[in-house]
Amino acid sequence: MRAMTETSPDAAVAPPPARRRRKDGEARRVMILDAGLALFSSVGLHGASVEGIAERAGLSKTNLLYYFPSKEELYIAVLRRVLAVWLDPLQAFDADSEPAEAFRHYIRAKLTLSRDAPQASRLFCLEIVQGAPLLRPELEGPLRDLVEAKATVIRSWSAQGRIGPHDPHHLIFSIWAITQHYADFAVQVDAVSGRSLDDPAFFESVVASTQDLILAGLGLNPAR
Amino acid sequence: MRAMTETSPDAAVAPPPARRRRKDGEARRVMILDAGLALFSSVGLHGASVEGIAERAGLSKTNLLYYFPSKEELYIAVLRRVLAVWLDPLQAFDADSEPAEAFRHYIRAKLTLSRDAPQASRLFCLEIVQGAPLLRPELEGPLRDLVEAKATVIRSWSAQGRIGPHDPHHLIFSIWAITQHYADFAVQVDAVSGRSLDDPAFFESVVASTQDLILAGLGLNPAR
DNA sequence: CTCTATTTAGACCAAATGGTCAAACTCCAT
DNA sequence: ATGGAGTTTGACCATTTGGTCTAAATAGAG
């Protein structure tokens, strides 16, 4: 995922215009992005101040603005990273394995993400709920195409009788909804049930319950 | 909900200190609450300005502040209304009817709410995602108790063998997640599938799919 | 019609905040 | 060492914004 800093092919012509960047230049950007994610995901774009983010990242406001020209630009950069992470599990949805196995694996991957990257999930949620004027193109382009590809696979499974008939879109939406619920609505889950995904026992029980629910919906009686 | 204005016991001593309130005083409050809901649900608490809300409600900022002493107070008032609406369907979850019927009815009620009050759903979502410091007590008190009551019913159904074994909390969370997804993530649903709950055909298909999924999860083969 | 409690609006204020600028500092290749 | 590119900082500015204050307008009871 980390991009190489492009080095000039031949160092003979000109002495390698080596990055004079401060050794930790890239590390600082990451610090800022992390701080931005933390703040944006908990108080939103408008609720977070540049100064607050800078403080959390351990530098001055002015210095932050040196790395990112404006708050909006930083926000976009944070969102972009989040989107990549968010898309990852769906890309890994495996069309070649058994349907039951593919769904089981996908559900576990999404819930793992909800456990390990809840801030990313929440920021994504905030952005979508508010209308995502910024993410719209991404959703209508890459995401839509990706979903369509997976939906085709699911439909073919259905046609082969390997799973019961079900609308692929609704199926995918349901899995997204349930798995992300445990990250996005964590405080509600905690308030109502007193549990958190950080508790390994609870995590496994959520994985199992979700898998059971979806597989049952597919007409695949889970053998348990 | 609306409190009676306390009238002095005997009107003989003093002439009834009748409210001199402008006839449409209450209507204006509603206008403001509606405008607040619209703005808060689309740009969040921090993203909405008092002036903007006032403009949308058709009065001056100062006048709005006359009805609600501060932005936060208005926000709380809006949230309170939203919470009441949000809780409604769960309270109506009927313990006396057949399990399948109760779930079918509940799912339809929640989806109807997602269709007819998407702004309320989104504001609730925003608040929870951001940690709901304000709603926390409500969640840990009334909501938790209500869920516990319904969970008990579900467990008893399970014990009687009327539905398959399933963790009631996860079941409820799943229903919430799926049904609210169609309101909260409407732009994503639209971007990916091109459909909206406002389309009656789509609405019915979502209701049916969700009911099928949940009932299958309960081991109740829907007769369809 | 008058008198008073309620309502409305405009001017104003202080704090917060996004962003700019020029000066200073840190490296590193020469 | 040193010159210049890259980095960091503090001072500063314009705007937004939540909220106050005062005064005008208005509605209804008598």
Side-chain angles (χ1 to χ4, degrees):
Chain A
M1 189 46 110
R2 173 113 329 281
M4 299 264 116
T5 56
E6 60 285 353
T7 54
S8 59
D10 57 342
V13 173
R19 296 269 153 280
R20 287 254 219 113
R21 298 256 171 79
R22 196 172 202 70
K23 50 190 173 296
D24 45 28
E26 204 56 29
R28 285 200 107 152
R29 291 181 77 90
V30 174
M31 294 280 295
I32 297 172
L33 287 168
D34 287 344
L37 174 59
L39 270 285
F40 287 141
S41 70
S42 81
V43 290
L45 166 60
H46 303 289
S49 70
V50 178
E51 179 120 34
I53 298 171
E55 188 177 345
R56 180 165 189 130
L59 36 69
S60 70
K61 179 175 73 162
T62 320
N63 199 8
L64 185 156
L65 261 346
Y66 170 76
Y67 286 97
F68 296 90
S70 75
K71 184 165 95 160
E72 260 74 19
E73 296 261 0
L74 169 60
Y75 184 70
I76 292 174
V78 172
L79 258 195
R80 222 186 292 283
R81 239 186 17 161
V82 163
L83 186 64
V85 169
W86 194 93
L87 277 178
D88 211 40
L90 185 56
Q91 279 164 334
F93 185 87
D94 188 359
D96 296 330
S97 59
E98 275 301 301
E101 205 42 52
F103 280 107
R104 273 207 196 87
H105 184 269
Y106 181 54
I107 289 166
R108 179 175 288 276
K110 285 292 283 179
L111 281 168
T112 301
L113 200 64
S114 283
R115 182 194 59 193
D116 297 338
Q119 292 182 330
S121 184
R122 282 184 207 125
L123 180 57
F124 186 77
C125 178
L126 286 183
E127 185 60 17
I128 298 286
V129 168
Q130 297 183 9
L134 210 130
L135 238 46
R136 198 78 203 246
E138 297 284 340
L139 299 182
E140 285 172 342
L143 178 59
R144 186 194 170 107
D145 296 343
L146 187 53
V147 168
E148 223 40 63
K150 304 305 182 183
T152 302
V153 172
I154 295 172
R155 265 188 223 100
S156 82
W157 284 342
S158 202
Q160 296 165 17
R162 296 167 75 185
I163 63 175
H166 210 101
D167 175 53
H169 282 146
H170 184 263
L171 193 56
I172 292 171
F173 291 155
S174 296
I175 295 173
W176 286 351
I178 297 173
T179 56
Q180 289 171 211
H181 187 83
Y182 283 92
D184 303 341
F185 285 68
V187 335
Q188 182 177 264
V189 168
D190 179 56
V192 167
S193 75
R195 314 294 294 275
S196 147
L197 286 192
D198 291 330
D199 169 0
F202 185 64
F203 177 78
E204 287 303 329
S205 91
V206 170
V207 171
S209 291
T210 308
Q211 290 173 336
D212 286 358
L213 181 65
I214 297 298
L215 294 191
L218 291 171
L220 303 173
N221 275 2
R224 65 160 182 159
Chain B
M1 188 48 111
R2 174 111 328 279
M4 296 266 115
T5 57
E6 59 285 353
T7 53
S8 58
D10 54 344
V13 173
R19 293 273 152 278
R20 287 248 222 118
R21 296 258 170 79
R22 196 177 202 69
K23 51 188 172 297
D24 47 29
E26 205 56 29
R28 285 201 107 151
R29 293 180 74 91
V30 174
M31 294 281 294
I32 297 173
L33 287 169
D34 287 344
L37 174 58
L39 268 285
F40 288 141
S41 69
S42 81
V43 289
L45 166 60
H46 303 290
S49 70
V50 177
E51 179 119 31
I53 297 171
E55 188 176 344
R56 179 166 189 128
L59 36 70
S60 70
K61 179 175 73 160
T62 321
N63 199 5
L64 186 155
L65 261 347
Y66 169 77
Y67 287 98
F68 296 90
S70 74
K71 184 165 93 160
E72 260 74 19
E73 296 262 357
L74 169 60
Y75 184 71
I76 292 174
V78 172
L79 258 195
R80 221 186 292 282
R81 240 185 19 159
V82 164
L83 186 64
V85 169
W86 194 93
L87 276 177
D88 211 40
L90 185 56
Q91 278 164 335
F93 186 87
D94 188 359
D96 296 330
S97 59
E98 275 302 301
E101 206 41 52
F103 280 107
R104 271 208 198 88
H105 185 269
Y106 181 54
I107 288 167
R108 178 174 288 275
K110 284 293 283 180
L111 280 169
T112 301
L113 200 64
S114 284
R115 181 193 60 193
D116 297 339
Q119 291 183 331
S121 185
R122 284 183 206 125
L123 181 57
F124 186 78
C125 179
L126 286 183
E127 184 61 16
I128 299 286
V129 168
Q130 297 183 12
L134 210 130
L135 237 47
R136 197 79 202 244
E138 296 285 341
L139 300 183
E140 284 172 343
L143 178 59
R144 186 194 170 106
D145 296 344
L146 187 53
V147 168
E148 221 42 61
K150 304 306 181 183
T152 302
V153 172
I154 295 173
R155 265 188 224 101
S156 82
W157 284 342
S158 202
Q160 296 165 16
R162 297 168 73 185
I163 63 175
H166 210 102
D167 175 52
H169 282 146
H170 184 263
L171 193 57
I172 292 171
F173 291 155
S174 296
I175 295 173
W176 286 350
I178 296 173
T179 56
Q180 290 171 209
H181 187 82
Y182 283 92
D184 303 340
F185 285 69
V187 334
Q188 182 176 264
V189 168
D190 179 55
V192 168
S193 75
R195 313 294 295 274
S196 145
L197 285 192
D198 291 330
D199 169 1
F202 185 64
F203 178 78
E204 287 303 330
S205 91
V206 170
V207 170
S209 291
T210 308
Q211 289 174 336
D212 286 357
L213 181 66
I214 297 298
L215 293 191
L218 290 171
L220 302 174
N221 276 2
R224 63 163 184 158

